[in-house]
Each structure stands twice: as C-alpha cells, then as structure tokens.
Amino acid sequence: MKELIDKLYKEKMLSREEFRLLLDGRSEETASYLFEKARIRQQENFGHDIYLRGLIEFTNYCKNDCLYCGIRRSNANAQRYRLSEEEILDCADKGHAYGFRTFVLQGGEDPYFTDDRICRIVAELREHFPDSAITLSIGEKPRKSYQRYFDAGADRYLLRHETASQALYKKLHPASQTLDNRIRCLYDLKDIGFQIGAGMMLETPYQTADDLLDDLFFLKELDPDMIGIGPFIPHKDTPFRDCRQGSLELTLYMLGILRLMFPQGLIPATTALGTIDPLGREKGILAGANVVMPNLSPTPVRGKYLLYNNKICTGESSAQCYNCMTVRLRSIGYQTVKSRGDSPRAAKRQN
Ligand code: SAH
C-alpha cells in the first residue's frame, strides 16, 4: 500500500487498478500514511492557512427532486423561505467584518431568483465588497445565464457533479435531471472563466467502489479548482430516509487521495463531515483539506436549510460559527486567513 501512496504522491495519478487496490486495501495504518503525505502537499502549498468561505443559504425553494435531498420539491414538510436582497447583503456585511473575503450564495433552484435578480445581487455584492470573491452555487442553468452572472461580477461557481456514473446518477435523480447536463454546465462555467468546484457525495445508496473510481477519473479530466466531497446523510422526508449514512473513515481517506491528486486544490472540510463526527472537520483538515465554510445565514432560517438530518450549527449566529471555527482550527495548529483564497492557479491566470 505504501508504494501506491508514494506513487500517487509523486505522480498525482494512478491507474484504475491501482486506485482500486488503494481503496480496497485501506486500513488504519494505510490511512495514517496517506494523511501524512497529504499534509506535506497541503502545507507546502498553503502552509497552515485555512481559507474561509461564508455560506449564505438564501433560498430553500427548489424545482428539482434529487432523491437524497431534504429540500427536494416533493418534500411537503420542508418549511420554505427566501432571504430578501437586504438580508443577503446584511449577512455578507457581518461576514466581512469578521474577515471573510469569500461569500458563497447557495440555494435550491428557485425560479423566483431570475437571472435579473441574481445579477442585481451579484452586482451589489461586487460593489460593496471589491476585495471579496463572489461564489454562486445555484444549480444547473443555460450557458447564457452563467455568462450573465460572470459579467455581473461572480468569480466562482460550485456545482458538485454528485456522481460521474451514469447508472448511479439515474438512481439518485428523476429522469428529467441528467448527468450529461450537469457536466455540460461544469464545462460551460469553466470555459466562461469561473473558478469551478465539483465533487460528489460518498456512500450514497447504490454507490460502489467502481463509481468512486469513475469520480476520480472524471475529476482528473475536468480539473476543477475546488473539490467538495462529503458523506451522504439521510433526510427523514426523502425516499432514502432509511439508508445508511456515509462513513467518516471513507470520507477522510478520499480527502487524502484528492489532496495527492490535486496538490493545489481547494478542498473543504464540509459541514456534512462535521455532522457525522464532532471533530469531523478538524480530522478533514488533518487528512488534507484546506477550506472551511462557516454559515453566515441568519439564525432563524438555518433550521430550514436542511439537506440532511442533524445538520450542525443551526442554532448558532454567524459570530458564534466564526469564533468556534477559529478555535477549532487553532486547536490543531492551523489558522484562518483573511484573504479571498483563490486557487494558486487562478491567481496566476489573473496576473
Ligand atoms: N442546488 C445547488 C446546491 C445544492 S446543495 C446545486 O444543485 O448545486 C449542496 C450540496 O449538498 C449538493 O450538491 C449535494 O452534494 C449535498 N447534499 C444534498 N443532500 C445531501 C444529503 N442528503 N447528504 C449529504 N449531502 C447532501
């Protein structure tokens, strides 16, 4: 196993067979060796700096019906909400005061937020916070919409591919949602000039090791700036309510592999990871992640943006989340930084 990890460390890629061996042969010992190597790559590229992204969950209305997601259209129990433009700006204002220099507007695919409205919000954020990056995470749109958001001042776009396997994608989504369109979106976004983020859930129902190998090869091909992965966690009002949640162990292992494949990648220790283990995010950083995304949403709506059961930080304020994160990172020898945290590659493109 160590030879495989050494090879991945040097060459940033393995063959399908080698990746399979690395996944099948995992043990505590292998994992700790992998994380050691991953931390070398993490620290030579980023030191002990961890980038902050302020997450603003601005709507939980969604026209889609992803089978795993708690805010899917068919969930009649979801209490729907939208933030006003003033509320969104207010979240960003608070975040900026704490030192956030990236704002992520995330939401369901909500038709109320037309391109005009999104562009107006982006332009206002751009004007108010010229030193900050604006990230959108609002799903699949036509290329011309993406172009408008970019022209209005958005810098980055997060759109997890969810799974690169056609067969699995079909089991997780209704027939109207296709993997081909999701991939089309990612390539359009990249082509327009966004820094893009892709990624997948781990251990969703029906997922096999083969599917994960597909994800690794897809990511290598797409070569995104950011990669978000997290364990699948069931939501009580979805068809997958009784399915098993993804494990901490596999999530950390995949984070380590991704850090070796993408030494300069922006890889978050996600909220889902913090939800399945009280120290999940710290462990994620120590496995190679270098980004955290504390919540900046107003406390009263946090309990409504529930993609899965037991989501953490739903009773807290932005200030509490920011302070808590700072303390947590310090406890493992890392620090948050007050910078946009662009991918080293994108920073070079802009010069
Ligand atoms: N509508 C946007 C934002 C989706 S929410 C979009 O389509 O991109 C952000 C991410 O949460 C999703 O991409 C998905 O990977 C993750 N997610 C959704 N439901 C989940 C669940 N039950 N468990 C774990 N992660 C989930």
Side-chain angles (χ1 to χ4, degrees):
M1 260 339 118
K2 286 196 173 164
E3 302 79 71
L4 281 180
I5 294 170
D6 288 338
K7 184 171 180 199
L8 183 59
Y9 176 78
K10 278 201 211 92
E11 300 180 9
K12 300 190 271 185
M13 199 55 196
L14 294 176
S15 71
R16 200 170 172 97
E17 265 329 295
E18 289 169 328
F19 271 131
R20 190 189 307 277
L21 284 173
L22 192 57
L23 279 180
D24 289 350
R26 39 188 223 277
S27 65
E28 248 174 69
E29 199 192 336
T30 318
S32 70
Y33 189 69
L34 173 65
F35 302 157
E36 228 173 84
K37 292 289 181 189
R39 284 197 299 272
I40 296 176
R41 288 291 181 242
Q42 172 204 52
Q43 288 165 17
E44 70 191 15
N45 285 290
F46 303 99
H48 288 77
D49 289 352
I50 300 296
Y51 296 138
L52 282 173
R53 317 302 196 200
L55 191 61
I56 305 173
E57 301 157 333
F58 70 103
T59 173
N60 72 350
Y61 283 86
C62 192
K63 67 180 173 61
N64 287 342
D65 221 13
C66 308
L67 273 74
Y68 44 84
C69 184
I71 63 168
R72 67 200 300 263
R73 175 182 71 216
S74 299
N75 180 10
N77 291 334
Q79 292 176 46
R80 307 287 170 171
Y81 74 92
R82 292 184 179 106
L83 298 186
S84 67
E85 290 177 29
E86 296 73 53
E87 285 172 310
I88 294 171
L89 279 173
D90 188 51
C91 293
D93 249 333
K94 291 205 173 90
H96 197 267
Y98 306 134
F100 286 83
R101 293 296 178 268
T102 292
F103 302 109
V104 183
L105 291 181
Q106 188 176 82
E109 290 195 21
D110 179 357
Y112 170 84
F113 285 100
T114 56
D115 290 350
D116 282 346
R117 286 200 167 101
I118 294 291
C119 287
R120 201 162 64 218
I121 295 166
V122 169
E124 275 201 64
L125 287 169
R126 181 46 56 246
E127 195 188 315
H128 277 72
F129 308 105
D131 61 352
S132 301
I134 303 169
T135 304
L136 294 175
S137 179
I138 54 175
E140 298 170 38
K141 309 277 175 179
R143 180 177 175 126
K144 64 176 188 330
S145 302
Y146 289 147
Q147 185 68 57
R148 288 191 60 195
Y149 309 155
F150 188 76
D151 295 341
D155 307 275
R156 310 185 186 140
Y157 205 102
L158 304 182
L159 187 77
R160 289 188 178 176
H161 64 283
E162 313 298 0
T163 169
S165 147
Q166 289 283 359
L168 179 57
Y169 199 92
K170 288 196 179 114
K171 291 183 179 150
L172 303 181
H173 302 94
S176 55
Q177 296 174 236
T178 66
L179 177 58
D180 287 347
N181 193 53
R182 205 138 176 110
I183 293 177
R184 188 272 306 159
C185 290
L186 282 163
Y187 279 98
D188 277 349
L189 288 161
K190 190 176 187 190
D191 197 45
I192 288 168
F194 283 98
Q195 293 174 46
I196 58 165
M200 62 279 182
M201 280 175 292
L202 303 178
E203 294 177 288
T204 59
Y206 313 111
Q207 191 179 56
T208 63
D210 249 311
D211 296 324
L212 286 179
L213 300 179
D214 287 351
D215 287 321
L216 295 180
F217 281 88
F218 170 76
L219 287 169
K220 199 67 187 182
E221 171 91 33
L222 176 69
D223 196 21
D225 303 279
M226 300 161 278
I227 301 167
I229 63 167
F232 159 77
I233 305 173
H235 183 288
K236 63 180 174 36
D237 299 314
T238 63
F240 294 158
R241 61 179 64 83
D242 296 322
C243 298
R244 229 187 33 206
Q245 74 179 25
S247 66
L248 176 74
E249 184 265 328
L250 181 67
T251 309
L252 297 177
Y253 202 76
M254 292 296 289
L255 284 170
I257 290 178
L258 288 170
R259 173 55 65 206
L260 295 188
M261 289 174 68
F262 300 93
Q264 301 203 323
L266 297 161
I267 304 179
T270 57
T271 307
L273 190 54
T275 296
I276 62 165
D277 185 289
L279 295 176
R281 286 167 300 177
E282 291 88 329
K283 291 172 184 169
I285 302 283
L286 294 171
N290 68 326
V291 172
V292 289
M293 304 178 69
N295 202 322
L296 292 180
S297 309
T299 314
V301 304
R302 288 186 183 203
K304 299 180 183 166
Y305 196 82
L306 296 181
L307 310 179
Y308 44 77
N309 294 337
N310 308 318
K311 188 177 170 211
I312 52 170
C313 312
T314 51
E316 275 77 10
S317 66
S318 307
Q320 286 169 323
C321 285
Y322 173 71
N323 290 328
C324 164
M325 191 54 74
T326 311
V327 172
R328 282 170 178 272
L329 293 175
R330 205 179 294 142
S331 77
I332 52 168
Y334 288 76
Q335 72 230 357
T336 56
V337 286
K338 199 178 193 172
S339 90
R340 284 171 47 117
D342 284 299
S343 85
R345 187 171 74 182
K348 215 184 283 165
R349 267 201 306 265
Q350 279 160 11
N351 289 333

